[in-house]
């Protein structure tokens, strides 16, 4: 996997290792330095060193080994599609958006393949472990309208849980 960086003006003059450490905070400085030596590409003469001072607009690519993604369901049901509103039946185990662990095995990646040429964008959250209906806009203006409706509380969501045993209370908030 190739991760592209373009140095912003506020980082001009920083050491390359410090810049990357600020951008990829989970990695130690020694790990960053090793990646610079072994997995950094740039357009320009010579090799970049950890101590190289970066300039605004400078571009380089960090080559990252892609770890295999965990298995997820790779399909979802289509409940409604009128062009503006798309409602899908998301299975449990399918993440909606990309994360550090999931890139291609997500609803948004699958939606790009299933609806080519359309910008299908979820209007609300639905956790990876949760199955249920996911409302999406069929284009950016529709998505914005849906997201505002969810944020303003004009859309009511309800959940049904199937449990084993007897609950201690009649109702949970």
């Amino acid at each position: 996997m190739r991760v592209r960086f373009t140095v912003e003006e506020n980082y001009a003059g920083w050491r390359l290792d410090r810049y990357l450490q600020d951008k990829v905070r989970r990695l130690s400085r020694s790990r960053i330095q090793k990646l610079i030596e072994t997995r950094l590409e740039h357009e320009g003469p010579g090799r970049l060193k950890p101590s190289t001072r970066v300039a605004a607009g400078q571009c380089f690519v960090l080559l990252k080994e892609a770890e295999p993604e965990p298995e997820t369901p790779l399909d979802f049901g289509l409940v409604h599609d009128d062009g503006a509103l798309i409602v899908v039946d998301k299975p449990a185990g399918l993440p909606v958006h990309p994360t550090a662990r999931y890139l291609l095995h997500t609803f948004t990646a699958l939606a790009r393949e299933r609806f080519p040429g359309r910008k299908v964008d979820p209007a609300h959250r639905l956790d990876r472990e949760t199955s249920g209906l996911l409302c999406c806009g069929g284009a950016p203006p529709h998505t914005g309208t849906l997201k505002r409706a969810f944020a303003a509380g004009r859309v009511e969501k309800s959940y049904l849980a199937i449990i084993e045993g007897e609950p201690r209370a009649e109702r949970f908030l």
Side-chain angles (χ1 to χ4, degrees):
M1 182 182 334
R2 300 170 61 83
V3 181
R4 184 174 177 79
F5 294 90
T6 302
V7 178
E8 300 89 341
E9 286 187 32
N10 56 310
Y11 289 101
W14 282 39
R15 285 175 52 112
L16 177 58
D17 57 355
R18 292 280 188 200
Y19 169 78
L20 284 174
Q21 189 176 22
D22 197 62
K23 293 295 184 178
V24 189
R25 294 177 187 247
R26 71 183 192 292
L27 297 180
S28 68
R29 187 168 173 207
S30 60
R31 180 73 179 128
I32 293 281
Q33 290 172 341
K34 185 74 169 170
L35 290 173
I36 290 170
E37 294 171 7
T38 60
R39 298 191 168 272
L40 192 79
E41 292 180 350
H42 76 105
E43 297 174 8
R47 288 184 49 174
L48 297 178
K49 299 177 185 175
S51 61
T52 300
R53 300 290 175 173
V54 297
Q58 184 176 8
C59 297
F60 42 85
V61 172
L62 192 58
L63 303 175
K64 179 183 171 194
E65 288 184 34
E67 295 179 21
E69 286 186 45
E71 290 298 316
T72 66
L74 297 177
D75 196 17
F76 54 86
L78 182 62
V79 176
H80 176 85
D81 182 0
D82 64 11
L85 173 65
I86 299 168
V87 180
V88 300
D89 185 7
K90 185 193 88 63
L94 178 64
V96 174
H97 295 289
T99 66
R101 293 181 61 204
Y102 300 95
L103 179 65
L104 300 175
H105 298 169
T106 65
F107 167 76
T108 53
L110 295 170
R112 274 193 305 276
E113 292 175 14
R114 187 158 173 184
F115 304 104
R118 294 174 71 185
K119 177 81 170 96
V120 175
D121 192 15
H124 62 96
R125 291 188 52 228
L126 196 56
D127 291 341
R128 177 176 50 87
E129 300 85 2
T130 305
S131 65
L133 299 180
L134 183 64
C135 297
C136 306
H142 306 301
T143 302
T145 300
L146 282 168
K147 286 183 177 183
R148 286 189 295 280
F150 274 94
R154 294 191 308 265
V155 178
E156 184 178 316
K157 295 191 323 186
S158 60
Y159 295 87
L160 172 66
I162 299 173
I163 62 167
E164 183 178 325
E166 190 172 322
R168 287 180 244 158
E170 192 66 32
R171 182 180 171 124
F172 298 91
L173 297 177

